[in-house]
Every structure is written in C-alpha cells, then in structure tokens.
Amino acid sequence: MSIPPVDTDRIDEAVLALLYLTLHRDGAGDPAWRAWKTYDWSALDRLHEQGLIADPVSKAKSVALTEEGIQRCKQAFDRLFVRQS
C-alpha cells in the first residue's frame, strides 16, 4: 500500500488540539500546565522544536506546555473540534 505525502503541520495541529483534552496541573501551586504525551514522538519533537512544549524525552508520562503552547493548543482544539452553531 502506498501512503500519500503527509502534511506534518496538520498532524502537529491535531496533536496540539488533542493535548488540550488532557491539560492538567501536577499538584497544588504547580505553575506548569501538563498534558499526557502518548502521541507520535516525531510530532512531539516538532512541537518541542517550535517552543510549544518542554522536551518530551523524560520518564514523565506527561509533558509541560509553554505559554504559547497553551494558547495554540486551545486555538487548535476550537478550530478542529468545536461545533460551529
């Protein structure tokens, strides 16, 4: 089976939108927003290179988002998954 060329920008946007679904803080007073990182490693690496998430390579099961990452995460979620009335 031949796979057509993939638009990695769209994949990254979808991963950002899905990260929004699992945003959380680790504990009381924790300033960092985190999200579960069970997504394609290549996409997570690209998001890290763009400065949207912290380095995903760690033993933690979640990844910290930057301020810009949080904003872009919400925008991607709204654009891709929120029904327009």
Side-chain angles (χ1 to χ4, degrees), residues 24-64:
H24 65 280
R25 295 195 191 263
D26 271 345
D30 182 359
W33 284 96
R34 302 184 66 82
W36 301 116
K37 63 178 185 184
T38 55
Y39 299 100
D40 176 74
W41 282 104
S42 297
L44 292 175
D45 287 341
R46 288 190 301 271
L47 295 175
H48 173 62
E49 288 170 8
Q50 294 175 45
L52 301 175
I53 64 173
D55 190 349
V57 179
S58 72
K59 291 183 180 183
K61 293 182 179 182
S62 63
V63 64

Side-chain angles (χ1 to χ4, degrees), residues 16 19 23 32-35 52-54 63-67 69-70 73:
L16 269 177
L19 286 171
L23 278 179
W33 284 96
R34 302 184 66 82
L52 301 175
I53 64 173
V63 64
L65 280 80
T66 64
E67 287 299 318
I70 294 167
C73 194

Side-chain angles (χ1 to χ4, degrees), residues 2 4 6 8 12 14 18 23 28 43 56 58-60 64 69 75 77 82 84:
S2 175
V6 175
T8 57
D12 296 350
L18 292 169
L23 278 179
S58 72
K59 291 183 180 183
Q75 291 167 353
F77 181 83
V82 173
Q84 303 301 318

